[in-house]
Amino acid sequence: MRTFLIAAMALILCVAGCDDDMAVLNPLLPSKPLVAPEHVRVQHVLIGFNGSVPGRDVTRTRNEAESLAQDLLNSAWEGADFEELVRSYSDASFPGIYAMANDGVPNGAGEFRRSSFVSGFADVSFCLSVRNIGMAAYDPVTSPYGWHLIKRLE
């Protein structure tokens, strides 16, 4: 019941404060920066399912992936080592760290354009306050690879 209430509160905070209603944010931290950041650096855990991650042999079902993603999100919110979650569970390459420049902002060395990522991932990344952890839920259009647990580092 506690987990459900936390997730519900987080979704309400995010919908009220972000453009992306697919995000789930930690209600214990500021849900959104006061000003849209020009640059972000994030780390993520990708939880895919059978057929969702090109080039990866992921065997879990979509339901198993959703359940695992929610469990890992709750663990992260409770203080689990995020880097260890990436190392142990991600269906993407470790360390899963990306630097991005927002729309209309020149990208710096080593940065990617926001538009080069699927919109679910990018929108949540720019929606998070520093140190906050959120999730872009699977969506066939905006987050087709699965669930992205995202921690904003900078």
Side-chain angles (χ1 to χ4, degrees):
M1 182 66 156
R2 178 178 168 267
T3 299
F4 173 77
L5 290 175
I6 289 173
M9 289 172 23
L11 187 57
I12 290 167
L13 284 172
C14 185
V15 171
C18 292
D19 296 333
D20 183 10
D21 64 0
M22 295 301 293
V24 177
L25 304 180
N26 187 339
L28 304 178
L29 292 172
S31 63
K32 180 181 178 186
L34 295 176
V35 177
E38 292 186 352
H39 306 272
V40 298
R41 191 166 152 263
V42 298
Q43 185 171 31
H44 85 118
V45 179
L46 172 62
I47 304 298
F49 54 91
N50 188 17
S52 72
V53 184
R56 300 283 180 155
D57 185 26
V58 181
T59 59
R60 71 179 72 87
T61 67
R62 183 173 156 184
N63 288 340
E64 290 168 338
E66 181 175 18
S67 179
L68 176 60
Q70 187 61 55
D71 289 347
L72 294 177
L73 180 63
N74 290 331
S75 293
W77 284 353
E78 292 170 359
D81 182 325
F82 198 81
E83 188 167 306
E84 188 56 39
L85 294 177
V86 176
R87 186 184 314 278
S88 298
Y89 295 99
S90 187
D91 293 316
S93 300
F94 183 80
I97 296 176
Y98 300 99
M100 291 182 273
N102 208 344
D103 295 332
V105 176
N107 50 313
E111 285 187 327
F112 295 92
R113 306 272 336 128
R114 176 181 181 159
S115 59
S116 66
F117 291 87
V118 296
S119 62
F121 178 85
D123 291 348
V124 172
S125 296
F126 280 89
C127 179
L128 292 169
S129 58
V130 175
R131 292 183 308 281
N132 200 347
I133 298 167
M135 180 170 68
Y138 166 73
D139 179 88
V141 175
T142 63
S143 188
Y145 305 117
W147 285 260
H148 295 271
L149 282 66
I150 304 164
K151 180 176 183 177
R152 182 165 168 207
L153 305 174
E154 297 173 5

